[in-house]
Amino acid sequence: MPMRTHVVDHPLVAHKLTVLRKVETDSPTFRSLADELVTLLAYEATRDVRVEAYDIETPVSPTTGVRLARPRPLVVPILRAGLGMLDGMMRLLPTAEVGFLGMIRNEETLEASTYAERLPDDLSGRQCYVLDPMLATGGTLAAAIKFLTDRGADHITAVCLLAAPEGCARLEKELEGLDVPVTIVTAALDEKLNDKGYIVPGLGDAGDRLYGVVG
């Protein structure tokens, strides 16, 4: 099933992303803007969220509305930087459930491995929204998506602040043959990766800019 990439074309998205990119933007401002930007991206990312009809009473008459279908969607931030996107996503999906996936990238091989997870063992029939600020080499996100689909998830949407063409290409290649719809929703598709695997022009290390440099 082909992967779909959706670049959100909106003036507010472009404006907030521009300030995120600026080297002089400090961590508190970066966190606040990332939160706002994720909510805008989440609006687009949830267009296919599953709902069910049910009857309600308004002050004027009965009518039929919708609510999130069960099983509820699962929001999965990839630690640590994905945590900075969680509040913005949950603002639109307050009744969704949250799981956590800790993945780390080897800076020499650029390969991703799982070091922690807090997810249901069975994700059959679940829509999953994966939060990962930077789709750079694509290895981390590909590993996360495979992890979720191996447990039965049948619909994956990844929300990323930025994406690189190389990462999208690798993701599409690694997920080839996967019989699960995968959509990438991002604020921008940037130019390329540099020799260190960073997105150009990018915005630097999202985790460091969200929380400061640790260690």
Side-chain angles (χ1 to χ4, degrees), residues 156-171:
I156 305 284
T157 301
V159 181
C160 306
L161 301 181
L162 286 180
E166 297 93 331
C168 290
R170 177 177 176 181
L171 199 59

Side-chain angles (χ1 to χ4, degrees), residues 16-199:
K16 293 178 190 300
L17 179 58
T18 299
V19 183
L20 284 179
R21 291 187 191 275
K22 292 168 66 175
V23 68
E24 62 265 32
T25 300
D26 60 21
S27 286
T29 305
F30 192 96
R31 282 195 299 272
S32 177
L33 281 170
D35 181 69
E36 294 171 12
L37 181 54
V38 170
T39 299
L40 293 173
L41 296 178
Y43 179 80
E44 293 294 330
T46 53
R47 284 189 179 275
D48 294 327
V49 69
R50 293 170 188 152
V51 294
E52 60 188 14
Y54 77 113
D55 296 330
I56 63 168
E57 293 277 345
T58 80
V60 179
S61 71
T63 189
T64 301
V66 299
R67 59 189 169 198
L68 291 184
R70 291 182 179 272
R72 291 176 181 171
L74 184 69
V75 177
V76 184
I78 298 180
L79 305 177
R80 73 177 164 137
L83 279 177
M85 302 172 69
L86 182 58
D87 286 348
M89 189 73 186
M90 296 305 291
R91 190 169 292 116
L92 286 194
L93 282 176
T95 59
E97 296 178 359
V98 179
F100 297 95
L101 193 54
M103 309 202 82
I104 191 166
R105 186 178 72 162
N106 185 304
E107 293 302 327
E108 293 182 1
T109 66
L110 302 183
E111 295 297 320
S113 59
T114 304
Y115 67 85
E117 62 95 357
R118 189 64 182 266
L119 294 162
D121 291 334
D122 184 5
L123 294 176
S124 298
R126 298 293 287 267
Q127 283 185 292
C128 293
Y129 293 88
V130 182
L131 308 181
D132 191 14
M134 313 296 282
L135 173 48
T137 65
T140 299
L141 192 53
I145 290 171
K146 288 177 183 176
F147 191 97
L148 296 171
T149 55
D150 284 348
R151 292 200 176 183
D154 68 354
H155 190 281
I156 305 284
T157 301
V159 181
C160 306
L161 301 181
L162 286 180
E166 297 93 331
C168 290
R170 177 177 176 181
L171 199 59
E172 194 154 15
K173 182 178 179 181
E174 292 207 14
L175 300 178
E176 191 175 359
L178 185 69
D179 192 25
V180 171
V182 175
T183 300
I184 308 301
V185 176
T186 185
L189 185 62
D190 270 10
E191 180 185 339
K192 62 180 181 178
L193 294 180
N194 65 15
D195 56 2
K196 294 183 178 179
Y198 281 88
I199 299 175

